[in-house]
Amino acid sequence: ASGVKILDEVLQAFNEVKTRHTSRYLLLGLVNSDREIGVLKKAPLTAPYEEFLADLKAYQDQGRGVYGVYDIEYELESKQKRNKLVFVSWGPDNLPIRQRMLIASSKNDLRRKLQGVHKEMQASELGEITEDCMIEVCRQGDLGSN
C-alpha cells in the first residue's frame, strides 16, 4: 500500500454516478502533494468518449497518471441496452517513475473502496482504451452478446 489517503469526496462522487448516473465519467487522481486521491473532474452525461480520451492525454502531458470511472452504455445483439461502471487505471510509460509507482501502489486500495464497479481496465496508451475496447470488456460474460 502506498499510504495515500482516499478523500471522502471520491466515494460521494462515485456513489452519485453508481446510483443516479449523474456523470458520464469521473477522473480521480493524486492531490495535496500526492498524499491523497481526490476528484479531478466530473464529466456531464453529454460528454463524448473522445473527451474522456482527451482528458487522459492531457494528464499524461502534465506527467500525471489518473484513475477513471466510466459509466458506459452499450447495446447487446438483442438490442437490449446495458450500463456498466468501468474502472480505468491510466499510467502511461512516459510518466515519471514516482508518479507511476504511486498510481500502481494506490490502485488496489481505491478499487476496493469503489463497490459496484463492474469491470476494470489498465492502460498505458490510448489505443488500449478505445470505446470499442471498453465495450468489448463489458460484453465479456453478458448473456445475449458475442
Side-chain angles (χ1 to χ4, degrees):
S2 64
V4 173
K5 181 181 180 214
I6 299 164
L7 296 176
D8 290 341
E9 69 179 21
V10 169
L11 300 178
Q12 291 167 352
F14 173 75
N15 285 326
E16 287 174 15
V17 171
K18 179 174 83 171
T19 59
R20 295 193 304 233
H21 302 281
T22 54
S23 298
R24 179 59 54 210
Y25 63 90
L26 300 174
L27 288 181
L28 312 170
L30 297 164
V31 296
N32 302 327
S33 301
D34 294 345
R35 290 190 315 268
E36 299 171 318
I37 295 174
V39 176
L40 303 174
K41 180 176 182 173
K42 295 179 188 178
L45 285 173
T46 55
Y49 197 84
E50 294 74 26
E51 185 176 320
F52 177 64
L53 294 177
D55 285 342
L56 294 180
K57 177 78 170 96
Y59 280 103
Q60 176 182 353
D61 292 346
Q62 295 172 24
R64 296 177 69 189
V66 294
Y67 308 101
V69 175
Y70 200 96
D71 185 3
I72 192 160
E73 184 178 291
Y74 62 99
E75 205 172 82
L76 300 175
E77 285 184 12
S78 63
K79 303 298 182 201
Q80 185 180 16
K81 289 194 183 292
R82 290 272 168 92
N83 271 75
K84 287 196 176 170
L85 295 176
V86 180
F87 177 82
V88 176
S89 178
W90 175 245
D93 294 335
N94 66 344
L95 293 182
I97 290 269
R98 182 176 185 279
Q99 184 71 199
R100 282 199 332 246
M101 287 176 54
L102 283 171
I103 289 293
S105 62
S106 302
K107 181 186 93 164
N108 289 336
D109 285 343
L110 176 60
R111 176 62 187 85
R112 272 194 297 277
K113 295 235 184 207
L114 302 180
Q115 296 292 314
V117 166
H118 299 102
K119 299 289 182 173
E120 185 175 328
M121 298 178 77
Q122 188 167 329
S124 60
E125 56 186 58
L126 292 176
E128 298 172 334
I129 194 76
T130 65
E131 188 172 19
D132 288 342
C133 289
M134 188 177 284
I135 289 171
E136 186 58 36
V137 165
C138 287
R139 284 185 173 154
Q140 292 170 2
D142 273 345
L143 295 176
S145 70
N146 288 338

